[in-house]
Amino acid sequence: MTEIKSEQARAEEIKEYDQYVQTDDYMKEIAEDKLYLVDPNEIVFKPIKCIVIESA
């Protein structure tokens, strides 16, 4: 019986995720994380590599 409840809970999670991936919030998240896109009025800060030279 617990296996049935476990599968029902998993099916509910999948249903909720399926609904979420159809939202604008999900599209924005993917655009930012995977495609590195930003909103037109956003400011992007990129870290620079710093080289430290020690003198002897």
Side-chain angles (χ1 to χ4, degrees):
M1 198 64 152
T2 58
E3 192 173 321
I4 293 172
K5 287 184 180 183
S6 174
E7 288 301 317
Q8 288 173 338
R10 179 158 163 69
E12 184 63 29
E13 288 175 6
I14 292 170
K15 182 179 176 184
E16 289 173 5
Y17 183 75
D18 185 50
Q19 291 173 348
Y20 173 63
V21 299
Q22 296 176 30
T23 64
D24 289 341
D25 288 339
Y26 177 77
M27 296 297 174
K28 185 172 192 249
E29 179 184 325
I30 293 300
E32 291 173 348
D33 294 344
K34 307 278 186 207
L35 304 175
Y36 306 107
L37 300 176
V38 295
D39 285 331
N41 56 350
E42 268 186 301
I43 299 172
V44 178
F45 294 93
K46 294 182 179 181
I48 59 170
K49 292 183 180 179
C50 183
I51 300 173
V52 177
I53 301 173
E54 294 181 21
S55 58

